[in-house]
Amino acid sequence: MADPVLEVRGLCVDYGLGAEAVRAVTDADLVLRRGEVLGIAGESGSGKSTLAYALTRLLRAPGVITGGDVVFHSRSAETGEVTEVDLLAADGHQLRRYRWSEIAVVFQSAMHALNPVARVENQLTDVLRVHRPEMSAEQRRARAVEMLRMVGINADRLRSYPHELSGGMRQRVMIAMALILQPQIVIMDEPTTALDVVTQREILEELMALRDKLGFAVIFITHDLSLLIELADSIAIMYAGRIVERARAAELFHAPRHPYSLGLLSSFPSLHGERVRMEGIPGSPPSLAAMPDGCKFHPRCPYAMDRCRTQEPPLTRLTDDGGVGGEGGDRVTACWLHDGRQDPPEPLGRAFPLLASPPAPRPGDLSRSTS
Amino acid sequence: MTAESAESESAEPVGGTEPAEAAESAERAEHSKSAESAERAEPTEPASPSKVVHGPRRPGIPALEARGLVKHFPMHSGIGRGQVVHAVEDISMVLPAGTVTAVVGESGSGKSTLARLLTGLIKPTGGQVLLDGEPVGTGARARRKYTSSVHLVLQDPFSSLNSVHTVRYHLERPLKLHTKLGRAERAERMRQLLERVSLTPAQDYLDKYPHELSGGQRQRVAIARGLAVGPRVLLADEPVSMLDVSIRLGVLNLLDDLRSGENLATMYVTHDIASARYLADCIVVMYAGQVVESGPATQITDNPAHPYTQLLLSAAPDPARAETPVLRGRGAPPSLVNPPAGCRFHPRCPFAMKVCAVRSPEPRPVGEDHVSACWLHASELDDDQREPLSATATGPAIGTATAATVAAQAESADGATDAN
Ligand SMILES: Nc1ncnc2c1ncn2[C@@H]1O[C@H](COP(=O)(O)OP(=O)(O)OP(=O)(O)O)[C@@H](O)[C@H]1O
Ligand SMILES: Nc1ncnc2c1ncn2[C@@H]1O[C@H](COP(=O)(O)OP(=O)(O)O)[C@@H](O)[C@H]1O
Ligand code: SF4
Ligand code: SF4
Ligand SMILES: [Mg+2]
Ligand SMILES: [Mg+2]
């Protein structure tokens, strides 16, 4: 397993202060490994964007980080030496140094993130002017052209303004901007949600090819779990501000452990097999101001037991899950069904087919893309 | 619907739609076509109403029928001034009672324009719409009958309801306009309507304003309002694409219930082909203003015949897929101001042949109730016509529509507010 590049421990985020405060992210734990694509999925309002902005310190008021650690293991491109950076303690100067050049973000709405009055080419050369002052204008331009070519934008588009581009091309420009300084981490918040499937697929293909070439790690946020399963190496499922399950993508798909993960999976109609009526997840997520006691999912959970209504289940490692879970594994869930006091119901206790052997290499798997 | 019948038929394209002209070159073939088929390489000329009718086959008269619908939007400003956008080209389809027809395709393929033509919100450039087999009259009474029979549900649950009015107002207004019900009867009907869309108990919702409802609840109110006057036809234009995952399925299931419960004829417009498979009886695939393939829903997704349908399916998210899909036909749809001659998909099509660049393919049967408009299904082509169009087939990966046409189309579409 590759080395971690980002570690998040117990991250808490509130909106507002004092009595008015509501907690949008509670005790989030994540490990992002070098060259890995980590997906974050969950319903609208589950805290995906809040988490992403908090760990890059891009959170705006009234959002406040109220606890936890975020450690960035920065590796020098020249020496290969790794430095630990405490991002939550970093001052403005340090943040400016890492943000964009080492940790880049592609925002949920590309249209708002591009400068409407700057030509495509200048959007990129401006980034270089600020972060790579040692480069000549000539070099900056060459680099911008090269980067745009890598994301599939022809040189004849360099002088276009954002509004002259299709949504797919704007999204490509955003990705080029995020990658131009060769960051170690790219955080993408719903980068392709507004696009047509063909365009979405093309952009994701390009992203994966670039990841294999440049070796950056990706945090990919989306509500589209079926897309994420194809794309991500591992997935974190969020509900009501909490991570309720973390697993390898294939494990999550074939053998989910949390009832909410199962519900999300059964909200996406399949392209194959018998057509059967699906019921998805009844009800809707709680509001931040009125969180239920106990397990936050219990009002919607078909498996809820007495203790679920009063005690909140901790995120725990599934030790009896064989090779992939176990010590050092990443397979965790927060659900009382897996505390060993009962056998989990069949849909939540399925053996993962690849349990005995190491997971089969997936396209763009870790092992290929990391050193 | 069975796979066997599809296979046996697709091997032997049904003749009769094309004159045999095996010895002709593609160029000359263009001029030697029978008079019966008025189609030309000249792309601005609307084709004759084609004989193929898309949509679910059911006995009797369909609730709604489109015959040879054409819509060309004139462009009033921008670079394309004086030209037209070929948004919908010669579409014939039926929406029988008790069925759901899904219309799928990339954005800009003409799905919404087709839906708006069917509502009568915009006038067709050619062709006609029939309600219960009768052409729609132009008088005020005929209009009113039509609007109470055919209801449109839009994508954006925010814009489809008026933010200054309560749920009660939205439901009561059509009842006042289109029925003779008294106050008490209206109240009872409103309660039933909200129950019908699972907003219970009704009194919890009647006095709410749209902003107090979730996206899914708003979409339910929009559907309930549509049901108020007992429509026969529901046109739902991307009704779930702006909703959250868990809510989407609820709205799809509601449309499913209404199909049987209210015997509605539903058109479900979507870019999500998996949801089309889930809900629809029949899937109609649109590309650049034309129908390229249609047939029973599972047949279309399990055995797609047209290269464009195959492309859409290979690009669709599919967690069960073992390997990364290979996209065949990259890039974006063409500008509809000057659509490509011949098959409109040919600049993107990996299988494009010489003939594809000059002659537009007619829809042909490729299975039971399953048609596809592609020269690959034709047996009458000669070797020259079959010559691969490699130069264009491997053309630029993206940006088939130029920045200028994208901007011009966007401008033109902005300027046109007749839709709302
Ligand atoms: N500025 C703010 N003030 C108060 N609450 C906020 C603010 N921004 C977000 N929230 C709340 O925090 C919670 C998490 O929001 P967040 O945007 O992180 O969700 P998300 O998972 O990214 O959702 P989506 O899928 O819709 O993008 C929500 O309940 C939201 O209403
Ligand atoms: N009112 C209008 N004026 C000019 N062009 C329009 C208008 N409405 C739609 N179009 C154009 O018609 C084509 C089809 O659009 P539309 O029916 O909205 O497609 P879809 O719903 O499949 O995305 C597009 O090129 C669009 O720009
Ligand atoms: S802890 Fe209880 S309520 Fe929560 S997900 Fe597990 S079974 Fe359901
Ligand atoms: S007609 Fe030709 S270009 Fe069109 S889809 Fe078929 S093979 Fe491709
Ligand atoms: Mg978000
Ligand atoms: Mg549309």
Side-chain angles (χ1 to χ4, degrees), chain B residues 47-61:
Chain B
S48 68
S50 101
K51 287 145 292 201
V52 175
V53 178
H54 306 282
R57 296 277 165 275
R58 293 292 184 276
I61 296 169

Side-chain angles (χ1 to χ4, degrees), chain A residues 58-346:
Chain A
L58 285 167
L59 203 62
R60 295 227 183 95
V64 242
I65 297 169
T66 50
D69 296 298
V70 179
V71 179
F72 170 42
H73 302 265
S74 183
R75 185 162 71 185
S76 153
E78 289 89 47
T79 62
E81 201 181 313
V82 177
T83 332
E84 284 197 4
V85 185
D86 180 348
L87 285 181
L88 298 192
D91 59 23
H93 172 76
Q94 278 179 302
L95 282 177
R96 273 192 296 281
R97 201 172 120 208
Y98 293 112
R99 218 185 266 151
W100 213 323
S101 28
E102 305 299 343
I103 304 177
V105 186
V106 178
F107 291 95
Q108 194 157 2
S109 163
M111 203 43 193
H112 298 292
L114 290 175
N115 179 352
V117 297
R119 295 180 194 274
V120 163
E121 183 186 338
N122 297 351
Q123 310 255 355
L124 276 87
T125 49
D126 285 352
V127 178
L128 291 173
R129 199 182 351 261
V130 174
H131 291 268
R132 299 279 184 272
E134 72 283 3
M135 287 174 95
S136 69
E138 206 50 19
Q139 287 173 316
R140 286 200 288 265
R141 203 189 117 83
R143 180 93 188 94
V145 172
E146 146 95 0
M147 202 61 233
L148 287 167
R149 194 187 50 73
M150 279 166 91
V151 296
I153 293 195
N154 285 325
D156 63 2
R157 282 305 163 76
L158 290 174
R159 304 199 53 77
S160 306
Y161 289 98
H163 74 266
E164 294 172 334
L165 302 176
S166 67
M169 276 188 259
R170 281 199 291 264
Q171 213 57 49
R172 290 179 157 101
V173 174
M174 289 294 304
I175 293 174
M177 281 177 60
L179 296 179
I180 193 158
L181 301 173
Q182 304 226 352
Q184 300 175 52
I185 300 172
V186 183
I187 297 177
M188 312 185 108
D189 193 3
E190 306 267 9
T192 56
T193 304
L195 304 176
D196 271 319
V197 282
V198 178
T199 314
Q200 163 171 289
R201 181 69 66 181
E202 281 175 2
I203 291 180
L204 296 180
E205 268 179 14
E206 276 148 17
L207 180 72
M208 289 302 114
L210 289 169
R211 189 272 306 255
D212 289 351
K213 195 166 152 215
L214 306 174
F216 51 84
V218 182
I219 295 184
F220 194 99
I221 297 172
T222 178
H223 64 271
D224 189 346
L225 186 55
S226 54
L227 177 71
L228 210 48
I229 288 164
E230 272 192 79
L231 178 80
D233 299 299
S234 59
I235 293 178
I237 303 287
M238 283 190 82
Y239 186 74
R242 287 141 176 90
I243 291 172
V244 296
E245 177 159 13
R246 253 186 6 237
R248 313 272 312 159
E251 287 175 311
L252 188 85
F253 178 56
H254 293 289
R257 290 292 179 258
H258 198 280
Y260 180 64
S261 310
L262 182 68
L264 269 188
L265 286 166
S266 56
S267 299
F268 291 93
S270 169
L271 275 171
H272 315 276
E274 278 295 299
R275 291 200 292 183
V276 285
R277 172 103 168 185
M278 300 164 74
E279 293 305 335
I281 311 168
S284 49
S287 93
L288 295 184
M291 281 287 167
D293 286 337
C295 172
K296 304 307 164 223
F297 188 55
H298 88 252
R300 302 172 76 187
C301 181
Y303 305 105
M305 305 169 288
D306 279 345
R307 93 195 92 126
C308 304
R309 286 175 253 281
T310 51
Q311 288 170 273
E312 178 153 15
L315 194 62
T316 33
R317 195 150 268 159
L318 296 166
T319 40
D320 55 352
D321 243 347
V324 245
E327 220 33 55
D330 272 344
R331 178 107 226 227
V332 292
T333 193
C335 170
W336 289 126
L337 291 170
H338 299 284
D339 66 357
R341 289 210 249 164
Q342 62 281 304
D343 282 336
E346 190 281 328

Side-chain angles (χ1 to χ4, degrees), chain B residues 290-302:
Chain B
Q290 299 173 321
V291 174
V292 295
E293 181 168 6
S294 78
T298 49
Q299 178 72 17
I300 295 287
T301 55
D302 301 356

Side-chain angles (χ1 to χ4, degrees), chain B residues 10-25:
Chain B
S10 59
E12 183 73 59
V14 178
T17 51
E18 284 300 318
E21 43 194 10
E24 309 252 349
S25 75

